[in-house]
Amino acid sequence: MAVAGTEPGPFDWDLLIALTAAPFASDVVTTVLRLLDATLRRGARTQVWACGYATALTQRSLGLFKPADVLDLRAVFPSTAAMVGDLLREYPESLLWQVCRFCAEDRGALEHIDGVPIRSFSRFAGRVAASATTVYIGGA
Amino acid sequence: MTVETAGHLLVETKESGDAFLRDALTLAGTGRDVTLLLIQDAAGAVLRGHAPVERLTEAGVRVLIDDFSLRQHAGAVADLPTGVRAVDADDIAGLLLAPGVRVVWH
């Protein structure tokens, strides 16, 4: 039973994706990028909290492109940092990609592309509270 | 295709998610509205007949499969068992953005 005045919402964000664990152990990064694109196209406000090794996805050192494919040297693929950067530029008001400071410091991943803040984990609960739906993707 | 729901959305990503699929059955058995989305390697489980699709649909679970994952596993809609619907990223976004939805991602 809801108590008057304690009903959740309205929320600042429609969706929070907490992305954790090893990002390339599966197709999880592709999935998250697809979901970001699809939710933003629908006009949703979506934020990502990158934890664990997912903090490495937006490092400035990744550059714009993935390393060359030695089996197809003419092929060019964007880095994850470039893809997130493109989404941030396309949806500056409705996408937030933030990085967990604890995890980033632990991995020496403190230099990120423009528009990606590094946030204390103590702010995570606030991010959850500000979101209509939180989806935890990845695992410990 | 519109597939929005405001019940429980269970998302399986692994091929060996038997316990999680049993959770979907149990949840549906309590009368709750349950949608099971099979994505990433879980698509392979459906194509190889490892997922108990018939039991899930008989229990009232709506079983969906990500079309991108289906193609990545060299599958097609024609390969899917009866009761499984293919959805695209926009459909999945609709599921995640449905007001009140409860999402468990495995």
Side-chain angles (χ1 to χ4, degrees):
Chain A
M1 181 179 69
V3 178
T6 63
E7 294 86 351
F11 298 100
D12 292 335
W13 297 88
D14 298 299
L15 179 65
L16 165 62
I17 296 175
L19 177 60
T20 73
F24 297 111
S26 70
D27 291 330
V28 65
V29 175
T30 300
T31 296
V32 167
L33 290 172
R34 289 176 61 219
L35 294 181
L36 285 183
D37 181 64
T39 56
L40 293 166
R41 283 177 190 270
R42 279 182 169 241
R45 284 173 52 78
T46 304
Q47 56 176 330
V48 175
W49 182 281
C51 253
Y53 281 106
T55 56
L57 295 171
T58 51
Q59 285 188 108
R60 191 181 298 277
S61 59
L62 293 176
L64 294 176
F65 306 105
K66 289 184 176 179
D69 179 353
V70 294
L71 299 178
D72 185 0
L73 292 173
R74 286 177 294 184
V76 176
F77 300 101
S79 68
T80 52
M83 287 189 280
V84 172
D86 285 347
L87 285 170
L88 287 169
R89 280 186 290 277
E90 189 169 354
Y91 301 99
E93 303 298 326
S94 50
L95 171 62
L96 173 62
W97 185 295
Q98 58 216 307
V99 167
C100 171
R101 176 172 292 282
F102 178 85
C103 298
E105 286 185 345
D106 206 32
R107 292 160 176 80
L110 290 169
E111 294 292 329
H112 292 266
I113 60 172
D114 293 341
V116 173
I118 302 175
R119 295 241 160 92
S120 165
F121 186 67
S122 63
R123 297 178 68 176
F124 181 69
R127 288 290 153 187
V128 173
S131 304
T133 298
T134 296
V135 181
Y136 184 90
I137 298 178
Chain B
M1 183 189 305
T2 301
V3 291
E4 282 88 345
T5 179
H8 296 261
L9 172 62
L10 277 60
V11 185
E12 178 57 88
T13 65
K14 302 177 187 305
E15 183 160 0
S16 56
D18 295 348
F20 191 70
L21 300 188
R22 282 198 299 274
D23 289 345
L25 280 170
T26 302
L27 201 55
T30 65
R32 290 175 171 82
D33 179 61
V34 180
T35 298
L36 175 67
L37 171 65
L38 302 162
I39 193 168
Q40 296 175 198
D41 290 343
V46 175
L47 292 170
R48 280 180 277 281
H50 295 167
V53 170
E54 191 173 335
R55 286 173 55 206
L56 288 161
T57 54
E58 283 177 357
V61 177
R62 184 182 348 187
V63 182
L64 308 175
I65 188 168
D66 172 42
D67 64 351
F68 181 84
S69 303
L70 182 63
R71 291 195 303 274
Q72 275 197 316
H73 286 78
V77 172
D79 302 324
L80 296 177
T82 304
V84 180
R85 292 172 58 193
V87 293
D88 61 19
D90 181 62
D91 296 322
I92 299 170
L95 293 168
L96 293 174
L97 297 172
V101 67
R102 298 177 179 190
V103 184
V104 181
W105 196 285
H106 183 234

